[in-house]
């Protein structure tokens, strides 16, 4: 794991919408990001790099941000779903 500057975390925070489905909202809480899919529980993310984060309590789940945080990929057990930043 690595520590990221608050400004970097803030740049990734926002709402992202899956093509077929709900939004996933990324927020900064202290020195970490938290991910919450609409209607579901929020989970803390741990930084592996500046763009790749894994879920602290969900084995096999991760999020990878595209350059500029215009979209993210939610990866789970070998599959991936893309969500575009909802402006």
């Amino acid at each position: 794991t690595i520590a990221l500057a608050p400004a970097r975390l803030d740049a990734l925070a926002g709402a992202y919408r899956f093509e077929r489905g709900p939004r996933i909202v990324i927020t900064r809480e202290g020195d970490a990001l938290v991910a919450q899919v609409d209607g579901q529980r929020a989970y803390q993310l741990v930084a592996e790099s500046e763009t790749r984060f894994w879920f602290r309590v969900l084995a096999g789940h991760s999020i990878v941000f595209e350059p500029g945080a215009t979209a993210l990929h939610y990866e789970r057990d070998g599959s991936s779903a893309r969500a575009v930043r909802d402006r």
Side-chain angles (χ1 to χ4, degrees), residues 37-86:
V37 174
D38 286 343
Q40 296 185 22
R41 179 180 166 192
Y43 294 98
Q44 186 177 31
L45 300 173
V46 177
E48 181 178 313
S49 73
E50 286 200 2
T51 57
R52 178 177 287 278
F53 295 76
W54 49 270
F55 285 76
R56 182 171 295 283
V57 298
L58 295 174
H61 294 242
S62 62
I63 288 179
V64 179
F65 291 92
E66 291 184 5
T70 56
L72 63 78
H73 296 265
Y74 178 88
E75 299 176 346
R76 184 178 98 192
D77 301 325
S79 65
S80 178
R82 185 172 186 260
V84 176
R85 192 170 201 123
D86 193 12

mmCIF file of all heavy atoms in Angstrom, residues 37-86:
data_model
loop_
_atom_site.group_PDB
_atom_site.id
_atom_site.type_symbol
_atom_site.label_atom_id
_atom_site.label_comp_id
_atom_site.label_asym_id
_atom_site.label_seq_id
_atom_site.Cartn_x
_atom_site.Cartn_y
_atom_site.Cartn_z
ATOM 1 N N VAL A 37 -21.689 2.003 -3.755
ATOM 2 C CA VAL A 37 -22.640 1.839 -4.855
ATOM 3 C C VAL A 37 -24.009 2.218 -4.301
ATOM 4 O O VAL A 37 -24.340 1.899 -3.155
ATOM 5 C CB VAL A 37 -22.627 0.381 -5.380
ATOM 6 C CG1 VAL A 37 -23.711 0.174 -6.420
ATOM 7 C CG2 VAL A 37 -21.257 0.035 -5.954
ATOM 8 N N ASP A 38 -24.799 2.938 -5.115
ATOM 9 C CA ASP A 38 -26.142 3.349 -4.678
ATOM 10 C C ASP A 38 -26.877 2.196 -4.007
ATOM 11 O O ASP A 38 -26.960 1.094 -4.555
ATOM 12 C CB ASP A 38 -26.967 3.845 -5.869
ATOM 13 C CG ASP A 38 -26.535 5.211 -6.360
ATOM 14 O OD1 ASP A 38 -25.840 5.935 -5.624
ATOM 15 O OD2 ASP A 38 -26.906 5.561 -7.498
ATOM 16 N N GLY A 39 -27.399 2.458 -2.813
ATOM 17 C CA GLY A 39 -28.204 1.479 -2.099
ATOM 18 C C GLY A 39 -27.410 0.395 -1.390
ATOM 19 O O GLY A 39 -28.003 -0.516 -0.813
ATOM 20 N N GLN A 40 -26.083 0.465 -1.412
ATOM 21 C CA GLN A 40 -25.272 -0.550 -0.758
ATOM 22 C C GLN A 40 -24.380 0.079 0.301
ATOM 23 O O GLN A 40 -24.296 1.292 0.425
ATOM 24 C CB GLN A 40 -24.427 -1.295 -1.789
ATOM 25 C CG GLN A 40 -25.261 -2.074 -2.782
ATOM 26 C CD GLN A 40 -24.410 -2.895 -3.730
ATOM 27 O OE1 GLN A 40 -23.259 -3.220 -3.445
ATOM 28 N NE2 GLN A 40 -24.966 -3.231 -4.876
ATOM 29 N N ARG A 41 -23.719 -0.757 1.035
ATOM 30 C CA ARG A 41 -22.813 -0.346 2.098
ATOM 31 C C ARG A 41 -21.553 0.311 1.519
ATOM 32 O O ARG A 41 -21.122 -0.019 0.425
ATOM 33 C CB ARG A 41 -22.446 -1.598 2.887
ATOM 34 C CG ARG A 41 -21.517 -1.386 3.993
ATOM 35 C CD ARG A 41 -21.224 -2.681 4.703
ATOM 36 N NE ARG A 41 -20.061 -2.421 5.536
ATOM 37 C CZ ARG A 41 -19.362 -3.320 6.130
ATOM 38 N NH1 ARG A 41 -19.676 -4.587 6.012
ATOM 39 N NH2 ARG A 41 -18.333 -2.991 6.866
ATOM 40 N N ALA A 42 -20.961 1.238 2.261
ATOM 41 C CA ALA A 42 -19.712 1.897 1.854
ATOM 42 C C ALA A 42 -18.524 1.062 2.328
ATOM 43 O O ALA A 42 -18.561 0.467 3.409
ATOM 44 C CB ALA A 42 -19.642 3.294 2.452
ATOM 45 N N TYR A 43 -17.467 1.037 1.500
ATOM 46 C CA TYR A 43 -16.262 0.275 1.813
ATOM 47 C C TYR A 43 -15.026 1.137 1.617
ATOM 48 O O TYR A 43 -14.916 1.855 0.625
ATOM 49 C CB TYR A 43 -16.142 -0.956 0.911
ATOM 50 C CG TYR A 43 -17.215 -1.974 1.147
ATOM 51 C CD1 TYR A 43 -18.342 -2.024 0.336
ATOM 52 C CD2 TYR A 43 -17.114 -2.886 2.187
ATOM 53 C CE1 TYR A 43 -19.336 -2.964 0.547
ATOM 54 C CE2 TYR A 43 -18.104 -3.823 2.410
ATOM 55 C CZ TYR A 43 -19.213 -3.861 1.594
ATOM 56 O OH TYR A 43 -20.199 -4.786 1.814
ATOM 57 N N GLN A 44 -14.085 1.020 2.541
ATOM 58 C CA GLN A 44 -12.831 1.763 2.440
ATOM 59 C C GLN A 44 -11.934 1.136 1.379
ATOM 60 O O GLN A 44 -11.875 -0.086 1.239
ATOM 61 C CB GLN A 44 -12.103 1.776 3.774
ATOM 62 C CG GLN A 44 -10.871 2.671 3.745
ATOM 63 C CD GLN A 44 -10.174 2.744 5.079
ATOM 64 O OE1 GLN A 44 -10.198 1.801 5.856
ATOM 65 N NE2 GLN A 44 -9.543 3.876 5.350
ATOM 66 N N LEU A 45 -11.253 2.005 0.624
ATOM 67 C CA LEU A 45 -10.310 1.575 -0.401
ATOM 68 C C LEU A 45 -8.888 1.799 0.092
ATOM 69 O O LEU A 45 -8.619 2.750 0.822
ATOM 70 C CB LEU A 45 -10.528 2.374 -1.688
ATOM 71 C CG LEU A 45 -11.910 2.265 -2.319
ATOM 72 C CD1 LEU A 45 -12.033 3.238 -3.478
ATOM 73 C CD2 LEU A 45 -12.173 0.847 -2.784
ATOM 74 N N VAL A 46 -7.981 0.937 -0.352
ATOM 75 C CA VAL A 46 -6.569 1.040 0.000
ATOM 76 C C VAL A 46 -5.788 1.244 -1.290
ATOM 77 O O VAL A 46 -5.965 0.493 -2.254
ATOM 78 C CB VAL A 46 -6.094 -0.239 0.722
ATOM 79 C CG1 VAL A 46 -4.615 -0.158 1.032
ATOM 80 C CG2 VAL A 46 -6.905 -0.462 1.992
ATOM 81 N N ALA A 47 -4.917 2.255 -1.316
ATOM 82 C CA ALA A 47 -4.156 2.585 -2.520
ATOM 83 C C ALA A 47 -3.012 1.595 -2.728
ATOM 84 O O ALA A 47 -2.205 1.360 -1.837
ATOM 85 C CB ALA A 47 -3.603 3.992 -2.428
ATOM 86 N N GLU A 48 -2.979 1.035 -3.927
ATOM 87 C CA GLU A 48 -1.864 0.191 -4.349
ATOM 88 C C GLU A 48 -0.919 1.016 -5.241
ATOM 89 O O GLU A 48 0.281 0.784 -5.290
ATOM 90 C CB GLU A 48 -2.400 -1.010 -5.116
ATOM 91 C CG GLU A 48 -1.355 -1.970 -5.600
ATOM 92 C CD GLU A 48 -1.967 -3.155 -6.311
ATOM 93 O OE1 GLU A 48 -2.934 -3.742 -5.793
ATOM 94 O OE2 GLU A 48 -1.478 -3.488 -7.395
ATOM 95 N N SER A 49 -1.505 1.965 -5.967
ATOM 96 C CA SER A 49 -0.760 2.913 -6.801
ATOM 97 C C SER A 49 -1.610 4.179 -6.866
ATOM 98 O O SER A 49 -2.638 4.265 -6.195
ATOM 99 C CB SER A 49 -0.527 2.332 -8.203
ATOM 100 O OG SER A 49 -1.726 2.336 -8.953
ATOM 101 N N GLU A 50 -1.224 5.127 -7.702
ATOM 102 C CA GLU A 50 -2.015 6.350 -7.820
ATOM 103 C C GLU A 50 -3.349 6.130 -8.515
ATOM 104 O O GLU A 50 -4.236 6.966 -8.441
ATOM 105 C CB GLU A 50 -1.220 7.427 -8.560
ATOM 106 C CG GLU A 50 -0.138 8.026 -7.712
ATOM 107 C CD GLU A 50 0.322 9.364 -8.232
ATOM 108 O OE1 GLU A 50 -0.212 9.870 -9.230
ATOM 109 O OE2 GLU A 50 1.236 9.913 -7.607
ATOM 110 N N THR A 51 -3.502 4.996 -9.202
ATOM 111 C CA THR A 51 -4.750 4.734 -9.932
ATOM 112 C C THR A 51 -5.434 3.434 -9.536
ATOM 113 O O THR A 51 -6.577 3.220 -9.899
ATOM 114 C CB THR A 51 -4.489 4.694 -11.449
ATOM 115 O OG1 THR A 51 -3.507 3.703 -11.727
ATOM 116 C CG2 THR A 51 -4.027 6.046 -11.960
ATOM 117 N N ARG A 52 -4.763 2.555 -8.831
ATOM 118 C CA ARG A 52 -5.348 1.256 -8.465
ATOM 119 C C ARG A 52 -5.553 1.175 -6.951
ATOM 120 O O ARG A 52 -4.646 1.420 -6.180
ATOM 121 C CB ARG A 52 -4.472 0.098 -8.911
ATOM 122 C CG ARG A 52 -5.039 -1.270 -8.494
ATOM 123 C CD ARG A 52 -4.187 -2.415 -9.004
ATOM 124 N NE ARG A 52 -4.346 -2.590 -10.438
ATOM 125 C CZ ARG A 52 -5.353 -3.259 -11.001
ATOM 126 N NH1 ARG A 52 -6.290 -3.792 -10.250
ATOM 127 N NH2 ARG A 52 -5.417 -3.386 -12.308
ATOM 128 N N PHE A 53 -6.785 0.800 -6.584
ATOM 129 C CA PHE A 53 -7.167 0.668 -5.184
ATOM 130 C C PHE A 53 -7.865 -0.669 -4.981
ATOM 131 O O PHE A 53 -8.583 -1.128 -5.862
ATOM 132 C CB PHE A 53 -8.148 1.787 -4.780
ATOM 133 C CG PHE A 53 -7.547 3.163 -4.823
ATOM 134 C CD1 PHE A 53 -7.337 3.812 -6.031
ATOM 135 C CD2 PHE A 53 -7.184 3.798 -3.659
ATOM 136 C CE1 PHE A 53 -6.785 5.080 -6.074
ATOM 137 C CE2 PHE A 53 -6.631 5.072 -3.688
ATOM 138 C CZ PHE A 53 -6.427 5.713 -4.900
ATOM 139 N N TRP A 54 -7.663 -1.282 -3.845
ATOM 140 C CA TRP A 54 -8.393 -2.508 -3.529
ATOM 141 C C TRP A 54 -9.259 -2.258 -2.303
ATOM 142 O O TRP A 54 -9.011 -1.355 -1.514
ATOM 143 C CB TRP A 54 -7.472 -3.707 -3.352
ATOM 144 C CG TRP A 54 -6.288 -3.528 -2.460
ATOM 145 C CD1 TRP A 54 -5.046 -3.099 -2.822
ATOM 146 C CD2 TRP A 54 -6.218 -3.789 -1.057
ATOM 147 N NE1 TRP A 54 -4.217 -3.059 -1.743
ATOM 148 C CE2 TRP A 54 -4.909 -3.485 -0.641
ATOM 149 C CE3 TRP A 54 -7.125 -4.237 -0.112
ATOM 150 C CZ2 TRP A 54 -4.499 -3.619 0.677
ATOM 151 C CZ3 TRP A 54 -6.709 -4.371 1.206
ATOM 152 C CH2 TRP A 54 -5.412 -4.066 1.580
ATOM 153 N N PHE A 55 -10.322 -3.053 -2.218
ATOM 154 C CA PHE A 55 -11.269 -2.928 -1.114
ATOM 155 C C PHE A 55 -10.694 -3.603 0.122
ATOM 156 O O PHE A 55 -10.275 -4.757 0.065
ATOM 157 C CB PHE A 55 -12.607 -3.587 -1.483
ATOM 158 C CG PHE A 55 -13.428 -2.787 -2.453
ATOM 159 C CD1 PHE A 55 -13.103 -2.746 -3.797
ATOM 160 C CD2 PHE A 55 -14.528 -2.078 -2.005
ATOM 161 C CE1 PHE A 55 -13.858 -2.015 -4.686
ATOM 162 C CE2 PHE A 55 -15.300 -1.343 -2.892
ATOM 163 C CZ PHE A 55 -14.962 -1.306 -4.233
ATOM 164 N N ARG A 56 -10.679 -2.871 1.225
ATOM 165 C CA ARG A 56 -10.087 -3.378 2.463
ATOM 166 C C ARG A 56 -10.739 -4.686 2.927
ATOM 167 O O ARG A 56 -10.049 -5.566 3.406
ATOM 168 C CB ARG A 56 -10.178 -2.328 3.569
ATOM 169 C CG ARG A 56 -9.532 -2.771 4.863
ATOM 170 C CD ARG A 56 -9.437 -1.668 5.883
ATOM 171 N NE ARG A 56 -8.581 -0.568 5.508
ATOM 172 C CZ ARG A 56 -7.254 -0.578 5.556
ATOM 173 N NH1 ARG A 56 -6.611 -1.655 5.938
ATOM 174 N NH2 ARG A 56 -6.569 0.490 5.212
ATOM 175 N N VAL A 57 -12.044 -4.832 2.770
ATOM 176 C CA VAL A 57 -12.722 -6.010 3.324
ATOM 177 C C VAL A 57 -13.363 -6.917 2.271
ATOM 178 O O VAL A 57 -14.020 -7.882 2.630
ATOM 179 C CB VAL A 57 -13.789 -5.610 4.378
ATOM 180 C CG1 VAL A 57 -13.143 -4.911 5.561
ATOM 181 C CG2 VAL A 57 -14.865 -4.740 3.768
ATOM 182 N N LEU A 58 -13.197 -6.613 0.998
ATOM 183 C CA LEU A 58 -13.784 -7.441 -0.053
ATOM 184 C C LEU A 58 -12.661 -8.045 -0.900
ATOM 185 O O LEU A 58 -12.167 -7.408 -1.830
ATOM 186 C CB LEU A 58 -14.724 -6.620 -0.951
ATOM 187 C CG LEU A 58 -15.978 -6.054 -0.305
ATOM 188 C CD1 LEU A 58 -16.712 -5.148 -1.286
ATOM 189 C CD2 LEU A 58 -16.883 -7.166 0.174
ATOM 190 N N ALA A 59 -12.269 -9.255 -0.586
ATOM 191 C CA ALA A 59 -11.189 -9.918 -1.325
ATOM 192 C C ALA A 59 -11.563 -10.045 -2.803
ATOM 193 O O ALA A 59 -12.706 -10.369 -3.144
ATOM 194 C CB ALA A 59 -10.918 -11.297 -0.738
ATOM 195 N N GLY A 60 -10.616 -9.755 -3.682
ATOM 196 C CA GLY A 60 -10.842 -9.895 -5.116
ATOM 197 C C GLY A 60 -11.534 -8.721 -5.769
ATOM 198 O O GLY A 60 -11.816 -8.759 -6.960
ATOM 199 N N HIS A 61 -11.809 -7.650 -5.026
ATOM 200 C CA HIS A 61 -12.482 -6.463 -5.566
ATOM 201 C C HIS A 61 -11.490 -5.303 -5.603
ATOM 202 O O HIS A 61 -10.780 -5.061 -4.629
ATOM 203 C CB HIS A 61 -13.662 -6.051 -4.678
ATOM 204 C CG HIS A 61 -14.761 -7.043 -4.651
ATOM 205 N ND1 HIS A 61 -16.024 -6.746 -5.089
ATOM 206 C CD2 HIS A 61 -14.813 -8.326 -4.233
ATOM 207 C CE1 HIS A 61 -16.807 -7.809 -4.940
ATOM 208 N NE2 HIS A 61 -16.083 -8.778 -4.420
ATOM 209 N N SER A 62 -11.461 -4.586 -6.725
ATOM 210 C CA SER A 62 -10.584 -3.422 -6.830
ATOM 211 C C SER A 62 -11.189 -2.388 -7.773
ATOM 212 O O SER A 62 -12.134 -2.677 -8.509
ATOM 213 C CB SER A 62 -9.192 -3.829 -7.307
ATOM 214 O OG SER A 62 -9.264 -4.403 -8.592
ATOM 215 N N ILE A 63 -10.618 -1.197 -7.727
ATOM 216 C CA ILE A 63 -11.022 -0.102 -8.605
ATOM 217 C C ILE A 63 -9.767 0.453 -9.254
ATOM 218 O O ILE A 63 -8.759 0.690 -8.575
ATOM 219 C CB ILE A 63 -11.762 1.002 -7.833
ATOM 220 C CG1 ILE A 63 -13.161 0.502 -7.446
ATOM 221 C CG2 ILE A 63 -11.858 2.287 -8.647
ATOM 222 C CD1 ILE A 63 -13.990 1.487 -6.664
ATOM 223 N N VAL A 64 -9.846 0.653 -10.569
ATOM 224 C CA VAL A 64 -8.753 1.268 -11.320
ATOM 225 C C VAL A 64 -9.317 2.503 -12.011
ATOM 226 O O VAL A 64 -10.295 2.409 -12.755
ATOM 227 C CB VAL A 64 -8.166 0.290 -12.361
ATOM 228 C CG1 VAL A 64 -7.053 0.969 -13.146
ATOM 229 C CG2 VAL A 64 -7.668 -0.981 -11.693
ATOM 230 N N PHE A 65 -8.702 3.661 -11.748
ATOM 231 C CA PHE A 65 -9.137 4.915 -12.355
ATOM 232 C C PHE A 65 -8.414 5.131 -13.665
ATOM 233 O O PHE A 65 -7.210 4.897 -13.769
ATOM 234 C CB PHE A 65 -8.847 6.085 -11.410
ATOM 235 C CG PHE A 65 -9.703 6.083 -10.180
ATOM 236 C CD1 PHE A 65 -9.273 5.450 -9.028
ATOM 237 C CD2 PHE A 65 -10.937 6.700 -10.174
ATOM 238 C CE1 PHE A 65 -10.057 5.440 -7.874
ATOM 239 C CE2 PHE A 65 -11.735 6.702 -9.038
ATOM 240 C CZ PHE A 65 -11.293 6.067 -7.888
ATOM 241 N N GLU A 66 -9.151 5.598 -14.673
ATOM 242 C CA GLU A 66 -8.547 5.973 -15.950
ATOM 243 C C GLU A 66 -7.834 7.317 -15.783
ATOM 244 O O GLU A 66 -8.144 8.070 -14.858
ATOM 245 C CB GLU A 66 -9.621 6.072 -17.035
ATOM 246 C CG GLU A 66 -10.213 4.735 -17.410
ATOM 247 C CD GLU A 66 -11.220 4.814 -18.548
ATOM 248 O OE1 GLU A 66 -11.404 5.914 -19.124
ATOM 249 O OE2 GLU A 66 -11.824 3.779 -18.854
ATOM 250 N N PRO A 67 -6.899 7.639 -16.685
ATOM 251 C CA PRO A 67 -6.211 8.926 -16.611
ATOM 252 C C PRO A 67 -7.204 10.088 -16.548
ATOM 253 O O PRO A 67 -8.207 10.092 -17.255
ATOM 254 C CB PRO A 67 -5.396 8.970 -17.901
ATOM 255 C CG PRO A 67 -5.154 7.526 -18.228
ATOM 256 C CD PRO A 67 -6.421 6.824 -17.805
ATOM 257 N N GLY A 68 -6.927 11.041 -15.677
ATOM 258 C CA GLY A 68 -7.809 12.190 -15.525
ATOM 259 C C GLY A 68 -9.064 11.893 -14.733
ATOM 260 O O GLY A 68 -9.925 12.749 -14.603
ATOM 261 N N ALA A 69 -9.185 10.670 -14.213
ATOM 262 C CA ALA A 69 -10.351 10.246 -13.431
ATOM 263 C C ALA A 69 -11.657 10.485 -14.182
ATOM 264 O O ALA A 69 -12.670 10.856 -13.596
ATOM 265 C CB ALA A 69 -10.365 10.920 -12.059
ATOM 266 N N THR A 70 -11.625 10.273 -15.501
ATOM 267 C CA THR A 70 -12.832 10.438 -16.302
ATOM 268 C C THR A 70 -13.740 9.213 -16.211
ATOM 269 O O THR A 70 -14.911 9.273 -16.541
ATOM 270 C CB THR A 70 -12.485 10.680 -17.777
ATOM 271 O OG1 THR A 70 -11.676 9.601 -18.236
ATOM 272 C CG2 THR A 70 -11.736 11.998 -17.948
ATOM 273 N N ALA A 71 -13.169 8.096 -15.762
ATOM 274 C CA ALA A 71 -13.917 6.851 -15.601
ATOM 275 C C ALA A 71 -13.131 5.948 -14.668
ATOM 276 O O ALA A 71 -11.957 6.190 -14.370
ATOM 277 C CB ALA A 71 -14.133 6.171 -16.952
ATOM 278 N N LEU A 72 -13.802 4.901 -14.210
ATOM 279 C CA LEU A 72 -13.138 3.892 -13.395
ATOM 280 C C LEU A 72 -13.579 2.514 -13.847
ATOM 281 O O LEU A 72 -14.608 2.367 -14.518
ATOM 282 C CB LEU A 72 -13.407 4.112 -11.900
ATOM 283 C CG LEU A 72 -14.851 4.014 -11.371
ATOM 284 C CD1 LEU A 72 -15.322 2.574 -11.199
ATOM 285 C CD2 LEU A 72 -14.951 4.732 -10.046
ATOM 286 N N HIS A 73 -12.805 1.528 -13.480
ATOM 287 C CA HIS A 73 -13.133 0.127 -13.749
ATOM 288 C C HIS A 73 -13.246 -0.577 -12.410
ATOM 289 O O HIS A 73 -12.297 -0.567 -11.619
ATOM 290 C CB HIS A 73 -12.053 -0.542 -14.605
ATOM 291 C CG HIS A 73 -11.945 0.056 -15.960
ATOM 292 N ND1 HIS A 73 -12.587 -0.467 -17.051
ATOM 293 C CD2 HIS A 73 -11.297 1.168 -16.402
ATOM 294 C CE1 HIS A 73 -12.326 0.277 -18.106
ATOM 295 N NE2 HIS A 73 -11.550 1.282 -17.736
ATOM 296 N N TYR A 74 -14.417 -1.136 -12.166
ATOM 297 C CA TYR A 74 -14.648 -1.913 -10.953
ATOM 298 C C TYR A 74 -14.348 -3.366 -11.313
ATOM 299 O O TYR A 74 -15.019 -3.945 -12.170
ATOM 300 C CB TYR A 74 -16.094 -1.743 -10.496
ATOM 301 C CG TYR A 74 -16.451 -2.533 -9.275
ATOM 302 C CD1 TYR A 74 -16.250 -2.008 -8.007
ATOM 303 C CD2 TYR A 74 -16.984 -3.812 -9.375
ATOM 304 C CE1 TYR A 74 -16.579 -2.732 -6.872
ATOM 305 C CE2 TYR A 74 -17.307 -4.547 -8.245
ATOM 306 C CZ TYR A 74 -17.102 -4.001 -7.002
ATOM 307 O OH TYR A 74 -17.417 -4.713 -5.886
ATOM 308 N N GLU A 75 -13.317 -3.898 -10.716
ATOM 309 C CA GLU A 75 -12.892 -5.264 -11.025
ATOM 310 C C GLU A 75 -13.264 -6.197 -9.888
ATOM 311 O O GLU A 75 -13.048 -5.882 -8.717
ATOM 312 C CB GLU A 75 -11.381 -5.287 -11.275
ATOM 313 C CG GLU A 75 -10.981 -4.411 -12.447
ATOM 314 C CD GLU A 75 -9.483 -4.336 -12.670
ATOM 315 O OE1 GLU A 75 -8.712 -4.743 -11.776
ATOM 316 O OE2 GLU A 75 -9.080 -3.871 -13.747
ATOM 317 N N ARG A 76 -13.823 -7.339 -10.279
ATOM 318 C CA ARG A 76 -14.246 -8.324 -9.284
ATOM 319 C C ARG A 76 -14.039 -9.715 -9.840
ATOM 320 O O ARG A 76 -14.638 -10.074 -10.862
ATOM 321 C CB ARG A 76 -15.711 -8.113 -8.939
ATOM 322 C CG ARG A 76 -16.195 -9.029 -7.845
ATOM 323 C CD ARG A 76 -17.616 -8.753 -7.525
ATOM 324 N NE ARG A 76 -18.432 -9.739 -8.237
ATOM 325 C CZ ARG A 76 -19.718 -9.687 -8.385
ATOM 326 N NH1 ARG A 76 -20.388 -8.670 -7.932
ATOM 327 N NH2 ARG A 76 -20.362 -10.626 -9.008
ATOM 328 N N ASP A 77 -13.187 -10.475 -9.186
ATOM 329 C CA ASP A 77 -12.969 -11.881 -9.528
ATOM 330 C C ASP A 77 -12.762 -12.094 -11.032
ATOM 331 O O ASP A 77 -13.376 -12.969 -11.629
ATOM 332 C CB ASP A 77 -14.127 -12.737 -9.018
ATOM 333 C CG ASP A 77 -14.289 -12.635 -7.509
ATOM 334 O OD1 ASP A 77 -13.273 -12.522 -6.806
ATOM 335 O OD2 ASP A 77 -15.434 -12.661 -7.029
ATOM 336 N N GLY A 78 -11.941 -11.255 -11.652
ATOM 337 C CA GLY A 78 -11.615 -11.435 -13.059
ATOM 338 C C GLY A 78 -12.516 -10.723 -14.053
ATOM 339 O O GLY A 78 -12.232 -10.716 -15.239
ATOM 340 N N SER A 79 -13.625 -10.138 -13.596
ATOM 341 C CA SER A 79 -14.491 -9.396 -14.519
ATOM 342 C C SER A 79 -14.362 -7.898 -14.198
ATOM 343 O O SER A 79 -13.912 -7.513 -13.120
ATOM 344 C CB SER A 79 -15.950 -9.848 -14.404
ATOM 345 O OG SER A 79 -16.456 -9.533 -13.124
ATOM 346 N N SER A 80 -14.769 -7.066 -15.156
ATOM 347 C CA SER A 80 -14.629 -5.625 -14.978
ATOM 348 C C SER A 80 -15.857 -4.917 -15.521
ATOM 349 O O SER A 80 -16.419 -5.305 -16.533
ATOM 350 C CB SER A 80 -13.379 -5.133 -15.736
ATOM 351 O OG SER A 80 -13.244 -3.751 -15.621
ATOM 352 N N ALA A 81 -16.274 -3.858 -14.808
ATOM 353 C CA ALA A 81 -17.381 -3.017 -15.263
ATOM 354 C C ALA A 81 -16.884 -1.571 -15.242
ATOM 355 O O ALA A 81 -16.289 -1.127 -14.262
ATOM 356 C CB ALA A 81 -18.594 -3.174 -14.358
ATOM 357 N N ARG A 82 -17.125 -0.852 -16.338
ATOM 358 C CA ARG A 82 -16.657 0.529 -16.464
ATOM 359 C C ARG A 82 -17.766 1.486 -16.026
ATOM 360 O O ARG A 82 -18.929 1.327 -16.397
ATOM 361 C CB ARG A 82 -16.260 0.812 -17.909
ATOM 362 C CG ARG A 82 -15.647 2.172 -18.117
ATOM 363 C CD ARG A 82 -15.105 2.280 -19.552
ATOM 364 N NE ARG A 82 -14.373 3.516 -19.749
ATOM 365 C CZ ARG A 82 -14.866 4.589 -20.337
ATOM 366 N NH1 ARG A 82 -16.123 4.572 -20.810
ATOM 367 N NH2 ARG A 82 -14.135 5.678 -20.477
ATOM 368 N N ALA A 83 -17.374 2.499 -15.262
ATOM 369 C CA ALA A 83 -18.287 3.571 -14.849
ATOM 370 C C ALA A 83 -17.675 4.899 -15.242
ATOM 371 O O ALA A 83 -16.497 5.156 -14.970
ATOM 372 C CB ALA A 83 -18.519 3.505 -13.335
ATOM 373 N N VAL A 84 -18.463 5.736 -15.909
ATOM 374 C CA VAL A 84 -18.004 7.041 -16.391
ATOM 375 C C VAL A 84 -18.352 8.112 -15.364
ATOM 376 O O VAL A 84 -19.424 8.081 -14.752
ATOM 377 C CB VAL A 84 -18.675 7.368 -17.750
ATOM 378 C CG1 VAL A 84 -18.296 8.753 -18.238
ATOM 379 C CG2 VAL A 84 -18.306 6.309 -18.775
ATOM 380 N N ARG A 85 -17.439 9.060 -15.208
ATOM 381 C CA ARG A 85 -17.667 10.145 -14.250
ATOM 382 C C ARG A 85 -18.974 10.844 -14.583
ATOM 383 O O ARG A 85 -19.223 11.217 -15.723
ATOM 384 C CB ARG A 85 -16.495 11.128 -14.272
ATOM 385 C CG ARG A 85 -16.577 12.090 -13.102
ATOM 386 C CD ARG A 85 -15.291 12.883 -12.992
ATOM 387 N NE ARG A 85 -15.206 13.381 -11.642
ATOM 388 C CZ ARG A 85 -14.236 13.169 -10.795
ATOM 389 N NH1 ARG A 85 -13.215 12.445 -11.156
ATOM 390 N NH2 ARG A 85 -14.249 13.672 -9.586
ATOM 391 N N ASP A 86 -19.822 11.022 -13.595
ATOM 392 C CA ASP A 86 -21.146 11.628 -13.723
ATOM 393 C C ASP A 86 -21.030 13.088 -13.308
ATOM 394 O O ASP A 86 -20.960 13.411 -12.145
ATOM 395 C CB ASP A 86 -22.115 10.874 -12.796
ATOM 396 C CG ASP A 86 -23.561 11.196 -13.067
ATOM 397 O OD1 ASP A 86 -23.853 11.810 -14.096
ATOM 398 O OD2 ASP A 86 -24.391 10.805 -12.238
#
